[in-house]
Amino acid sequence: MKPGLQFRLNQQLTLTPQLQQAIRLLQLSQLELEAELRQIAEGNPLLEFEEEAAPGETEEESFSPAAVETPTVDHNADEVADWAETDAPAETPIDFSLGSASGSGSRGEEDFEPQNAAPETLQEHLLWQLNLSSFTSRQRLIGTIIIDALNADGYLAEGLEGVLAALPADLDASADEVEAVRRQLQRFDPTGIASLDLRDCLRVQLEQFDAATPHRDLAMRIVAGELELLARNDVPKLARKLRASEDDVAAAALLIRSLDPRPGAALDATPVEYVAPDVYAYKEGNRWKVSLNPDCQPRLGLNQHYCSLIAQARGEDASWMRGQLQEARWLIKSLESRAETLLKVADAIVRRQSAFLDYGPEAMHPLVLREVAEEVAMHESTISRVTTRKYIHTPRGTFELKYFFSSGVSTEDGGGASATAIQAMIKKLIDAEDTRKPLSDQALAEELNRKGIQVARRTVAKYREALRIPSSSERQRAK
C-alpha cells in the first residue's frame, strides 16, 4: 500500500485544566473541599485562608451568594476561559457568609480543642480480660485468634473451622480444645460473646441468671427449640407445645427479650459522623427560600504581600509567580461558581418539593435529575455532582439533596406519587393496623388503590422491605 498524506477536519471539545478543577470542586463534600483547598493553599503562596472577617470589613467588600435569590451561572468552556483574562488582583478574600461570625470567645480559646481518648474496641476489651484470666499460654493463643475472628455483633461467624484454619500448624489444637476456650470466652463481658448463633448467645446469657430466677427454665426451653414461635409472639401455641400456662410463657418471653442479641454492638468503636448542612431552607411569609450555610463556605483570598512582589520579580521568578496568581484566580472563580450553582440547584429543589416541607413525606412529588437540569439550564451530570453529599437543613430535618429525587407511580387523576410518599403511606397504614390481624401486602396495595394510587402488590412488598418492615406473618400478634 502506497503511503500518502491526508487532511481531516473535525471538532473536539477539550476540557481545560481549569474547567476540570471547577468540576472536581463541584462534586466534593464540605469536608473534602476544605482538605482540598488546604492542600492547594500549601503549594501556592498567593493563596491564604482568613478564619475571621478582617477588622473594618464592610458588607460590600465580601462576596455573599446567600444573599442572591436567583444567581445565574453558565458552566461552559467559553466563560471559564474568560476568567483567565482578569488580571486585577482581588482586594479582599472571598466571604461566603451571610454576615460576620458572632462569638464571645477569644481567638486563643478557640485554638484549644478537647482531645478525647479513642474509644475502646470490642477486641481490646476482650484481650484485656484474656490477659487477666488464668489461661495457659496455649489457651491464650487460641483465645486471641477467636477474639480476632469476631464480627461487629460479637459472633464467631466463621465457626470453629475458621479458627482451626487460622491456628499455627505446630500448635496441633483439636476442635474440642478450641470449643472449650470459646465457651470460657462466652462468660467474658459482655456475656454471650463468641457465640455461634442467636440460640447459643441467648442460652449463655440465661445460664448466668440464678437458678431460682422465675421462669428461667421455661425461657431456656423456648430458646432451645421454639425461637420461631417466640418471634411471632404466638403465646397460645407456645403454651400448648410446652404444656405451660399462657401467663408463664408470656413471663418467660419477657425474660428472653431482656437479653442482648448483639452483645458486641455495645462496644462498637465506629465513630459517629456528624453532618453539617451546606444549605438552609426557611419560610419567609408564604414562600420557601434557601441560603448557604456561612460556616461551611471557605474564606479564601489572595495574599496581597506576594501579589505586590510580582511587579518586582524578574525572569523565571516572575513567570512562576504570575502562573501561581492565575491559578489562584481560577480557584477563586471556581469556588464562586460552586457556591452559586449549589444555591441555584437547592432553590429549584425546594420550590418543587415545597409540599414536602409544608405537609411531610406523604406530600413528596416525583422528581428526577432531568427536571431540575432543565429548570436551571445545566446538564444532568452537573446536578448529580451538586446533589451528592450535599445536605440541606429544613424544619423537618437535615437531608441529602438526593433525598428529594425519587421515581413515581401514576394516580387516578393523572398525576404522580413519589416512592418516598408511598413509603410514608405504607408506614402510616402499618403503624395504625390491628396487631392481631396485620395488613398483608395485597391489603396494603388495595388501601393505596382506594386512595387513588395505582400500585401493585410486588411494588408494595419492595417498598416495605426498603423500610425494613417485616411481613404480615412476622408482624402477627396473638390475641
Side-chain angles (χ1 to χ4, degrees):
M1 185 175 180
K2 186 177 180 179
L5 295 176
Q6 293 182 347
F7 291 95
R8 293 181 179 178
L9 182 63
N10 63 356
Q11 291 183 337
Q12 183 178 358
L13 179 63
T14 302
L15 293 179
T16 63
Q18 294 81 9
L19 185 56
Q20 293 178 9
Q21 182 186 64
I23 294 174
R24 171 172 170 75
L25 295 180
L26 191 63
Q27 65 188 7
L28 295 179
S29 65
Q30 188 270 329
L31 292 178
E32 293 171 339
L33 176 65
E34 182 75 18
E36 180 81 6
L37 295 180
R38 293 286 180 185
Q39 183 177 0
I40 295 176
E42 288 179 0
N44 191 336
L46 278 82
L47 284 171
E48 65 178 0
F49 278 90
E50 290 235 350
E51 303 297 342
E52 295 181 350
E57 182 181 42
T58 62
E59 187 175 351
E60 290 76 18
E61 293 174 339
S62 62
F63 175 76
S64 179
V68 182
E69 293 187 9
T70 57
T72 57
V73 180
D74 186 8
H75 293 278
N76 55 55
D78 293 338
E79 180 176 331
V80 173
D82 292 338
W83 291 345
E85 297 176 5
T86 305
D87 295 329
E91 296 181 358
T92 57
I94 297 177
D95 182 8
F96 291 92
S97 64
L98 293 171
S100 60
S102 61
S104 58
S106 64
R107 180 62 184 166
E109 294 175 351
E110 295 177 358
D111 291 338
F112 295 95
E113 297 181 357
Q115 301 295 326
N116 298 326
E120 185 181 35
T121 65
L122 173 64
Q123 278 70 20
E124 291 172 346
H125 183 64
L126 295 175
L127 288 174
W128 171 72
Q129 298 177 71
L130 181 66
N131 292 328
L132 294 178
S133 63
S134 58
F135 283 10
T136 64
S137 58
R138 181 183 178 90
Q139 292 174 323
R140 189 171 288 109
L141 176 59
I142 297 174
T144 302
I145 294 178
I146 293 176
I147 292 173
D148 289 338
L150 299 180
N151 60 19
D153 293 334
Y155 285 90
L156 189 60
E158 298 180 0
L160 297 181
E161 295 78 8
V163 177
L164 288 170
L167 289 173
D170 57 353
L171 190 63
D172 194 23
S174 64
D176 292 339
E177 187 177 4
V178 173
E179 174 65 12
V181 175
R182 186 189 71 83
R183 287 186 174 274
Q184 294 184 64
L185 292 179
Q186 284 184 292
R187 271 68 182 177
F188 279 17
D189 177 58
T191 306
I193 212 73
S195 297
L196 298 176
D197 52 31
L198 177 62
R199 197 182 308 274
D200 187 25
C201 178
L202 298 179
R203 175 189 58 78
V204 173
Q205 295 183 50
L206 285 172
E207 289 176 351
Q208 298 302 303
F209 285 95
D210 187 89
T213 301
H215 311 292
R216 171 180 175 270
D217 294 338
L218 183 58
M220 295 188 67
R221 291 171 58 192
I222 294 175
V223 168
E226 305 298 341
L227 277 181
E228 291 76 12
L229 288 177
L230 177 65
R232 296 200 298 266
N233 199 25
D234 196 344
V235 175
K237 191 170 183 179
L238 274 172
R240 290 194 300 271
K241 293 194 68 173
L242 298 175
R243 297 181 179 180
S245 66
E246 293 188 10
D247 292 340
D248 289 343
V249 170
L254 186 62
L255 178 61
I256 295 173
R257 291 193 177 94
S258 68
L259 306 177
D260 189 358
R262 301 170 56 205
L267 291 169
D268 187 4
T270 303
V272 178
E273 296 184 3
Y274 297 94
V275 173
D278 299 88
V279 185
Y280 287 111
Y282 60 95
K283 197 167 188 179
E284 191 173 283
N286 295 325
R287 180 183 175 188
W288 285 97
K289 295 186 177 182
V290 296
S291 64
L292 294 176
N293 181 2
D295 296 331
C296 289
Q297 305 304 323
R299 289 173 49 86
L300 190 66
L302 296 177
N303 188 305
Q304 299 302 314
H305 173 69
Y306 282 101
C307 288
S308 63
L309 295 177
I310 295 179
Q312 306 174 16
R314 296 292 183 271
E316 294 183 359
D317 292 341
S319 176
W320 180 82
M321 293 187 70
R322 281 194 294 269
Q324 295 296 309
L325 177 61
Q326 190 73 299
E327 291 182 7
R329 289 180 179 144
W330 271 102
L331 180 61
I332 292 173
K333 286 291 185 180
S334 298
L335 291 176
E336 292 181 14
S337 171
R338 180 183 186 273
E340 293 176 354
T341 304
L342 176 59
L343 191 65
K344 181 186 291 187
V345 172
D347 183 61
I349 293 174
V350 167
R351 284 201 307 271
R352 287 182 171 265
Q353 300 293 5
S354 59
F356 163 80
L357 299 175
D358 287 326
Y359 306 108
E362 293 183 33
M364 182 82 79
H365 292 298
L367 185 63
V368 295
L369 295 175
R370 175 178 50 79
E371 298 178 47
V372 176
E374 292 176 353
E375 180 174 343
V376 299
M378 295 179 183
H379 195 270
E380 292 182 34
S381 61
T382 303
I383 306 302
S384 177
R385 293 187 183 97
V386 173
T387 55
T388 301
R389 293 175 297 174
K390 312 295 190 306
Y391 297 87
I392 181 171
H393 177 77
T394 71
R396 295 192 175 274
T398 300
F399 306 93
E400 187 179 12
L401 289 178
K402 279 194 177 297
Y403 171 79
F404 297 94
F405 295 90
S406 64
S407 59
V409 298
S410 60
T411 59
E412 288 183 351
D413 57 3
S418 70
T420 304
I422 296 175
Q423 289 179 359
M425 294 178 187
I426 292 174
K427 187 176 186 305
K428 185 177 181 180
L429 290 172
I430 292 178
D431 290 342
E433 70 183 1
D434 184 355
T435 57
R436 296 171 298 180
K437 191 178 180 182
L439 297 172
S440 64
D441 293 338
Q442 182 61 39
L444 291 171
E446 293 174 357
E447 287 288 339
L448 292 174
N449 290 336
R450 279 193 284 269
K451 295 178 180 291
I453 300 175
Q454 304 299 322
V455 60
R457 182 200 59 80
R458 58 181 178 274
T459 305
V460 171
K462 181 182 69 173
Y463 289 157
R464 176 182 54 76
E465 292 171 357
L467 293 171
R468 297 183 178 180
I469 297 177
S471 62
S472 58
S473 60
E474 295 173 339
R475 301 195 310 272
Q476 185 179 9
R477 296 293 183 266
K479 294 183 180 180

